[in-house]
């Protein structure tokens, strides 16, 4: 761990990720010294403000909703087979510590930051929480809305995934955002347009619902074709397609972000006598307190999840974040479910960001972007590869005029595919990075989680790259170009050489009124669990389910506790997060301004 930032870290994975990112972020910054200039300190623990006993990663997944969202597509709550919440917490810790570096260099008296694995898990489910707590204008949940909690009985086993099987038992993942390309792809497989159209809505809504109940006729059409035939159909239709492998190891291990220093600042353009950094603006804060990035301005032109989340993180750290949207507004604003007159998922990432509308296809719109960037500390976008250069808004266009600007690009694949990358979306990034295999045990076919794992992690990594560039700027006066990607974020997630084999104890056990996930001691000692069952004799652990269903979650928790074993009730209704007193300090209840619940900022600064 970097000697310049002291850490008191309990979860080992989170601590390792934080240390790795901090070494990458501030390798050359001099030690702070002098009265009141103590080295910033960061702390990572399991629960943070969540009033719950969370002994490990899986307990956090169970208690905070990760198991519920990840398991929707396969019929019930299911753990992610990787330490995803811990990795998110590690990135959050690195963000907090790097933000403290920036704050201290700017004269703000902030010295310590704390976060937790539970706060990382809650941030990861934030969009799903917003969707499920959204209300229509009558104040009631929208009946039959696609965001309603999905019961296990409503989703066939493996029927809610988008992954397709081929004639020779290979598996492929397809992606397109174009309904005409989707129809053409299926037409080349002999599927009628009307039938292909029935699959389009669940296919697109899987980003929001984490399930994809495609018509079985589409799956059968894919099963009649070889991978080569599917690739040919995808190529002719303009659809991206990747084969889903069973190797959990990352295909590539790129750096989390690439930071390229910009040109030296021009002396005559310096807004402050010692650097080229613009002077501080009046304090702007989301909580009424002075936060590390108070007084800094971010301009973002982003869509979907990865880019908006990066801006959302910087705003929670105190920056003013201004969105550039097309005339009439971002179309994502009206995707259901609505909270008032705005999409709940969109609001979860973009509430509180002032909007400037600009048509980037017109010279006037591009001039608007240049003018906004000239007054900003950070310019952030997640445009498709080549678009920035085509618009004349690449780093090479903006940095020479504004050498203190931090220019950030969040992509899907970076340069991993050269000039012809596939569509840079979450699920293809999971496939290419090996995460699609790593998130599932060996007895399940490899397939991406339909929870947007890399979008969330990619947005966090992009924000950390921006913070690293801001920290360097405070020393050099120079801005930087920061490139990050979904696959570089996915590569942060540690995974074993081979997919694990699970027993019944590694999965949530159904009780009379819910699900319970056993703690590490109980999972390691099945005999102790079997001894607690009514009338238990010789019995395989796979036969536990029927016996467990006879008692309630509370009864089983008490029985296990008497035997010195821990267990965590599995959250299967995200709306409970906004009502449960245990989450009062971590989750804000539905807000009249946004119409939905949301996690509070995942850091506590002192």
């Amino acid at each position: 761990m970097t000697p310049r930032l002291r850490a008191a870290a309990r979860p080992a994975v989170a601590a390792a990720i934080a240390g790795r990112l901090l070494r990458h972020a501030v390798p050359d910054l001099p030690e702070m010294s002098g009265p009141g200039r103590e080295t910033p300190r960061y702390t990572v623990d399991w629960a943070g403000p969540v009033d719950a006993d969370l002994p490990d990663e899986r307990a956090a997944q169970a208690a905070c909703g990760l198991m519920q969202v990840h398991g929707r597509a396969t019929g019930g709550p299911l753990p992610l087979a990787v330490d995803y919440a811990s990795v998110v917490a590690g990135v959050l810790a690195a963000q907090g510590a790097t933000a403290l570096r920036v704050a201290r260099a700017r004269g703000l008296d902030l010295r310590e930051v704390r976060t937790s694995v539970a706060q990382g898990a809650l941030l990861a489910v934030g969009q799903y929480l917003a969707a499920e707590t959204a209300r229509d204008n009558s104040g009631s949940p929208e009946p039959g809305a696609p965001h309603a909690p999905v019961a296990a009985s409503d989703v066939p086993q493996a029927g809610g995934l988008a992954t397709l099987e081929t004639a020779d038992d290979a598996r492929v993942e397809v992606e397109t955002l174009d309904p005409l390309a989707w129809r053409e792809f299926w037409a080349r497989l002999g599927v009628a347009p009307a039938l292909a159209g029935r699959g389009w809505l669940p296919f697109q809504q899987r980003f929001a619902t984490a399930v994809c109940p495609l018509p079985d006729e589409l799956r059968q059409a894919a099963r009649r074709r070889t991978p080569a035939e599917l690739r040919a159909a995808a190529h002719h239709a303009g659809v991206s397609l990747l084969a889903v492998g069973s190797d959990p190891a990352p295909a590539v291990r790129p750096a989390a972000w690439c930071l390229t220093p910009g040109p030296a600042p021009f002396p005559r353009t310096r807004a402050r006598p010692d650097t080229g950094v613009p002077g501080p603006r009046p304090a702007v804060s989301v909580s009424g307190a002075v936060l590390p990035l108070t007084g800094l301005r971010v301009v973002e032109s982003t869509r979907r999840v990865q880019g908006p989340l990066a801006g959302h993180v910087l705003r929670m750290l105190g920056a003013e974040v201004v969105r550039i949207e097309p005339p009439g507004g971002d179309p994502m604003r009206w995707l259901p479910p609505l909270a008032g007159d705005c999409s709940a998922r969109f609001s979860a990432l973009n509430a509180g960001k002032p909007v400037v509308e600009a048509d980037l296809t017109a010279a006037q719109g591009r001039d608007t972007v240049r003018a906004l960037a000239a007054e900003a500390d950070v310019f952030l976008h997640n445009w498709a590869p080549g678009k920035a250069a085509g618009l004349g808004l690449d780093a090479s266009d903006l940095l020479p005029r504004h050498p203190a600007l931090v220019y950030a690009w969040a992509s899907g694949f970076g340069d991993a595919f050269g000039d012809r990358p596939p569509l840079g979306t979450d699920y293809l990034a999971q496939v290419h990075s090996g995460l699609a295999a790593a998130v599932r045990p060996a007895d399940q076919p490899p397939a991406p989680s339909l929870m947007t794992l890399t979008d969330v992690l990619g947005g966090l990594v992009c924000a950390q790259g921006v913070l690293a560039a801001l920290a360097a700027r405070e020393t050099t006066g120079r801005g930087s170009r920061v490139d990050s990607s979904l696959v570089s974020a996915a590569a942060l997630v540690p995974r074993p050489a081979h997919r694990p084999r699970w027993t019944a104890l590694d999965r949530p056990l159904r009780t009379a009124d819910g699900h319970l996930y056993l703690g590490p001691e109980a999972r390691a000692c099945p005999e102790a669990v079997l001894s607690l069952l009514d009338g238990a004799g010789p019995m395989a652990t796979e036969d536990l389910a029927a016996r467990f269903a006879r008692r309630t979650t509370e009864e089983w928790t008490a029985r296990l506790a008497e035997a010195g074993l821990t267990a965590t009730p599995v959250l299967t209704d995200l709306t409970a997060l906004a009502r449960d007193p245990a989450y009062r300090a971590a989750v804000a209840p539905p807000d009249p301004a946004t119409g939905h619940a949301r996690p509070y900022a995942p850091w506590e600064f002192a």
Side-chain angles (χ1 to χ4, degrees), residues 17-171:
I17 295 295
R20 173 180 168 184
L21 294 182
L22 287 170
R23 286 191 294 272
H24 189 31
V26 288
D28 302 318
L29 291 185
E31 194 70 58
M32 294 183 184
S33 60
R37 308 291 281 183
E38 295 89 348
T39 301
R41 176 185 177 90
Y42 73 92
T43 304
V44 189
D45 57 29
W46 286 113
V50 175
D51 185 15
D53 183 15
L54 303 178
D56 65 356
E57 161 79 22
R58 299 282 178 83
Q61 290 189 26
C64 298
L66 284 177
M67 285 189 187
Q68 188 267 339
V69 178
H70 171 60
R72 283 180 182 177
T74 51
L78 184 73
L80 291 157
V82 294
D83 291 336
Y84 180 77
S86 295
V87 172
V88 171
V91 182
L92 291 174
Q95 289 172 345
T98 310
L100 286 181
R101 277 286 187 183
V102 176
R104 300 288 286 168
R106 298 173 62 230
L108 299 177
D109 189 19
L110 295 172
R111 308 182 188 186
E112 185 169 351
V113 63
R114 178 185 295 271
T115 191
S116 69
V117 175
Q119 286 168 295
L122 291 171
L123 179 68
V125 300
Q127 299 163 76
Y128 304 97
L129 171 64
E132 294 194 18
T133 54
R135 297 291 185 264
D136 64 14
N137 292 331
S138 68
S140 302
E142 296 181 38
H147 64 286
V150 179
S153 59
D154 296 335
V155 182
Q157 187 71 17
L161 292 169
T163 307
L164 302 175
E165 297 178 352
T166 70
D168 53 359
D169 296 325
R171 297 170 68 80

Side-chain angles (χ1 to χ4, degrees), residues 339-399:
D341 59 356
C342 184
S343 166
R345 283 172 54 82
F346 184 91
S347 174
L349 299 178
N350 295 294
K353 300 176 182 178
V355 175
V356 174
E357 293 187 2
D359 181 1
L360 300 187
T361 65
Q364 183 178 359
R366 296 190 292 274
D367 287 342
T368 297
V369 175
R370 294 187 186 97
L372 289 170
E375 295 296 323
D377 298 277
V378 178
F379 178 68
L380 163 67
H381 72 82
N382 63 341
W383 299 332
K387 180 176 178 179
L391 294 172
L393 297 173
D394 209 347
S396 58
D397 301 305
L398 299 184
L399 284 174

Side-chain angles (χ1 to χ4, degrees), residues 146-479:
H147 64 286
V150 179
S153 59
D154 296 335
V155 182
Q157 187 71 17
L161 292 169
T163 307
L164 302 175
E165 297 178 352
T166 70
D168 53 359
D169 296 325
R171 297 170 68 80
V172 298
E173 197 76 19
V174 299
E175 184 66 279
T176 180
L177 304 179
D178 181 354
L180 298 180
W182 170 264
R183 185 178 67 179
E184 174 65 16
F185 171 74
W186 289 107
R188 289 180 174 273
L189 301 184
V191 175
L195 183 56
R198 281 176 48 201
W200 173 249
L201 187 60
F203 181 74
Q204 281 301 293
Q205 284 190 335
R206 74 197 196 283
F207 287 94
T209 62
V211 295
C212 186
L214 290 175
D216 193 56
E217 294 88 343
L218 301 188
R219 299 185 187 279
Q220 292 175 6
R223 288 191 194 103
R224 290 193 290 267
R225 306 289 180 145
T226 66
E229 290 172 323
L230 291 176
R231 282 194 296 270
H235 174 75
H236 288 293
V239 169
S240 295
L241 181 148
L242 291 179
V244 181
S246 59
D247 185 356
V252 291
R253 294 182 180 272
W257 65 85
C258 176
L259 191 152
T260 306
F266 302 116
R268 292 184 181 179
T269 63
R270 291 181 179 178
R272 283 161 48 185
D274 56 336
T275 70
V277 181
R281 297 178 178 86
V284 177
S285 165
V286 295
S287 64
V290 175
L291 295 170
L293 302 189
T294 291
L296 300 185
R297 178 177 295 163
V298 177
V299 173
E300 67 167 56
S301 178
T302 63
R303 291 192 63 186
R304 300 184 74 86
V305 178
Q306 176 193 22
L309 178 60
H312 178 58
V313 166
L314 298 172
R315 180 179 175 272
M316 287 192 293
L317 287 168
E320 176 193 17
V321 180
V322 179
R323 277 185 62 78
I324 298 170
E325 296 188 10
D330 190 325
M332 300 288 287
R333 286 181 173 275
W334 297 280
L335 291 181
L338 298 183
D341 59 356
C342 184
S343 166
R345 283 172 54 82
F346 184 91
S347 174
L349 299 178
N350 295 294
K353 300 176 182 178
V355 175
V356 174
E357 293 187 2
D359 181 1
L360 300 187
T361 65
Q364 183 178 359
R366 296 190 292 274
D367 287 342
T368 297
V369 175
R370 294 187 186 97
L372 289 170
E375 295 296 323
D377 298 277
V378 178
F379 178 68
L380 163 67
H381 72 82
N382 63 341
W383 299 332
K387 180 176 178 179
L391 294 172
L393 297 173
D394 209 347
S396 58
D397 301 305
L398 299 184
L399 284 174
R401 297 182 182 183
H402 316 294
L405 181 70
V406 172
Y407 183 102
W409 177 40
S411 71
F413 294 98
D415 59 1
F417 285 90
D419 296 333
R420 300 189 67 182
L423 198 60
T425 60
D426 184 286
Y427 307 128
L428 293 188
Q430 288 192 47
V431 170
H432 181 64
S433 66
L435 197 57
V439 296
R440 301 186 186 280
D443 62 340
Q444 280 196 346
S449 172
L450 291 190
M451 183 177 174
T452 51
L453 301 179
T454 65
D455 269 340
V456 169
L457 198 53
L460 294 174
V461 166
C462 175
Q464 173 60 8
V466 168
L467 291 167
L470 289 172
R473 188 182 76 165
E474 291 299 332
T475 298
T476 66
R478 300 170 66 182

